[in-house]
């Protein structure tokens, strides 16, 4: 939730040409906006989807009246948040995407485009109050992507469904690596910077010990993110570290599909994480759930894991 509001604050600071500390939330600080952001963050946390895809964003057209007066659609903060994200205007007169919605999309959505090939299991609708020629609604669909369904559960057993490193059905994606070298920050300060990058939605954050000029021991801070996160995370690097420059490297990744299912066990509900693809499938219990059970039952982790493995074989 804080990461979403950080995005909004950064967009507002750009629109007002001022620092984040001087920003005052107006519409996005109202209770209904706070409730919207909190509810979306909570629901996505509970659903824990592997991938969130969204259609190109329809922004509307015309003008909108807000605390700053009458502004063009999309509003300046919305336009800033949608940079790098496919969006379009149309004949609908009105604001169809607010800064709140744009920030949520920017933070959570990994892909923008047509509906991907998937097996839809659940569908939800949210209806707006305003009347437009088109239906004023937002639709969300939850399901399993076709690749996971076809090759994620033992595709090696079926030649027609098997995937290989050269197959398009085996998942790949793109990522950007941001990194810098630091030799004048305390471990506490570096740890704080790492936490801020994680909170902003980085795919991975890590540090590497290095030797720097004048024989100083230093730390390389590295962050992996998606292209649309590059600018926001670069700002966080400059805000929370002493670096004067940040290196950027674009990568293509071969990845495994990931899914999480809740299993009923003799010790209660435990999340089971599954990774699949590339003719590989493996499962792992959620560490946080294991720790909670081990503390409650006063058990050692290896003992608990052994009992869970026996339970799975039943």
């Amino acid at each position: 939730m804080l990461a979403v509001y950080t995005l909004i604050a950064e967009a507002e600071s750009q629109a007002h040409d001022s620092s984040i500390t001087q920003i005052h939330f107006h519409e996005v600080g109202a209770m209904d906006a706070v409730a919207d952001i909190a509810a979306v963050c909570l629901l996505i946390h509970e659903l824990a989807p592997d991938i969130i895809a969204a259609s190109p964003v329809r922004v509307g057209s015309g003008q909108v009246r807000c605390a700053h007066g009458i502004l063009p659609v999309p509003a300046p903060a919305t336009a800033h948040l949608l940079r790098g994200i496919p969006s379009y205007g149309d004949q609908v007169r009105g604001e169809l995407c607010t800064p709140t919605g744009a920030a949520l999309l920017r933070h959570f959505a990994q892909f923008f485009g047509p509906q991907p090939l998937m097996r839809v299991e659940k569908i939800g609708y949210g209806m707006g109050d305003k009347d437009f020629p088109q239906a004023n609604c937002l639709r969300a669909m939850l399901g399993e992507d076709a690749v996971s369904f076809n090759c994620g559960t033992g595709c090696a057993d079926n030649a027609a469904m098997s995937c290989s490193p050269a197959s398009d059905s085996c998942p790949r994606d793109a990522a950007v690596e941001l990194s810098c070298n630091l030799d004048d920050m305390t471990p506490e300060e570096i740890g704080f910077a790492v936490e801020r990058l994680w909170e902003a939605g980085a795919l991975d954050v890590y540090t590497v010990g290095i030797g720097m000029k004048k024989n100083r021991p230093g730390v390389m801070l590295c962050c992996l993110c998606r292209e649309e996160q590059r600018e926001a995370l670069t700002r966080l690097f400059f805000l929370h570290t002493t670096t004067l420059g940040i290196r950027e490297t674009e990568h293509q990744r071969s990845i495994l599909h990931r899914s999480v299912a809740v299993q009923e066990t003799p010790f209660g509900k435990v999340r089971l994480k599954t990774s699949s693809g590339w003719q590989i499938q493996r499962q792992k219990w959620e560490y946080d759930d294991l720790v909670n059970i081990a503390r409650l039952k006063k058990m050692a982790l290896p003992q608990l894991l052994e009992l869970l493995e026996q339970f799975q074989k039943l």
Side-chain angles (χ1 to χ4, degrees), residues 45-179:
H45 173 75
E46 292 296 320
L47 290 172
D50 295 324
I51 296 175
I52 298 178
S55 62
V57 184
R58 193 179 191 178
V59 298
S61 64
Q63 298 174 323
V64 61
R65 184 182 297 275
C66 64
H68 300 296
I70 298 177
L71 299 176
V73 172
T78 303
H80 178 82
L81 286 163
L82 292 178
R83 287 191 304 172
I85 295 175
S87 62
Y88 65 99
D90 54 19
Q91 299 304 313
V92 174
R93 305 289 291 182
E95 184 183 33
L96 300 183
C97 181
T98 65
T100 298
L104 289 167
L105 285 171
R106 188 167 197 89
H107 180 66
F108 286 113
Q110 289 100 15
F111 303 101
F112 293 86
Q115 177 186 329
L117 184 62
M118 62 185 294
R119 185 181 65 168
V120 177
E121 297 173 353
K122 296 181 180 180
I123 303 174
Y125 291 90
M127 308 303 297
D129 295 330
K130 295 182 179 179
D131 291 327
F132 297 119
Q134 297 88 348
N136 182 13
C137 70
L138 175 69
R139 180 172 62 179
M141 292 179 284
L142 179 67
E144 185 177 2
D145 69 272
V147 177
S148 290
F149 180 62
N150 287 336
C151 73
T153 54
C155 63
D157 296 334
N158 188 333
M161 291 184 178
S162 65
C163 58
S164 66
S167 171
D168 290 336
S169 64
C170 290
R172 295 181 176 89
D173 71 358
V176 178
E177 181 182 338
L178 306 175
S179 65

Side-chain angles (χ1 to χ4, degrees), residues 142-268:
L142 179 67
E144 185 177 2
D145 69 272
V147 177
S148 290
F149 180 62
N150 287 336
C151 73
T153 54
C155 63
D157 296 334
N158 188 333
M161 291 184 178
S162 65
C163 58
S164 66
S167 171
D168 290 336
S169 64
C170 290
R172 295 181 176 89
D173 71 358
V176 178
E177 181 182 338
L178 306 175
S179 65
C180 67
N181 296 348
L182 306 166
D183 65 358
D184 57 352
M185 292 181 63
T186 67
E188 292 88 352
E189 291 170 335
I190 294 175
F192 184 78
V194 169
E195 291 175 0
R196 301 291 79 75
L197 292 169
W198 277 120
E199 290 175 357
L203 297 174
D204 196 8
V205 186
Y206 59 95
T207 59
V208 179
I210 57 175
M212 297 182 63
K213 63 183 180 181
K214 300 179 182 179
N215 298 320
R216 297 174 184 168
V219 172
M220 180 190 299
L221 175 60
C222 301
C223 167
L224 201 65
C225 67
R226 303 195 185 281
E227 170 60 36
E228 59 269 19
Q229 298 172 299
R230 183 200 302 242
E231 187 170 340
L233 293 181
T234 296
R235 287 202 195 94
L236 290 180
F237 263 83
F238 284 123
L239 177 63
H240 295 297
T241 75
T242 57
T243 187
L244 301 178
I246 299 168
R247 297 182 295 275
E248 300 182 2
T249 307
E250 296 183 358
H251 297 279
Q252 292 293 321
R253 303 192 303 166
S254 298
I255 60 176
L256 295 178
H257 290 289
R258 292 171 292 177
S259 62
V260 181
V262 178
Q263 297 283 324
E264 289 285 356
T265 76
F267 307 99

Side-chain angles (χ1 to χ4, degrees), residues 248-314:
E248 300 182 2
T249 307
E250 296 183 358
H251 297 279
Q252 292 293 321
R253 303 192 303 166
S254 298
I255 60 176
L256 295 178
H257 290 289
R258 292 171 292 177
S259 62
V260 181
V262 178
Q263 297 283 324
E264 289 285 356
T265 76
F267 307 99
K269 295 181 178 179
V270 184
R271 286 171 290 178
L272 184 64
K273 299 183 290 187
T274 301
S275 303
S276 60
W278 297 87
Q279 298 184 339
I280 290 173
Q281 180 175 345
R282 50 178 173 257
Q283 293 181 318
K284 184 178 181 180
W285 298 104
E286 173 58 52
Y287 173 76
D288 289 341
D289 294 349
L290 296 180
V291 169
N292 291 335
I293 293 173
R295 286 173 176 167
L296 182 64
K297 302 293 185 180
K298 295 181 171 30
M299 301 171 61
L301 279 177
Q303 178 188 8
L304 176 58
L305 282 169
E306 183 179 354
L307 292 174
L308 287 173
E309 289 175 4
Q310 293 176 2
F311 167 74
Q312 279 187 298
K313 295 176 181 178
L314 295 179

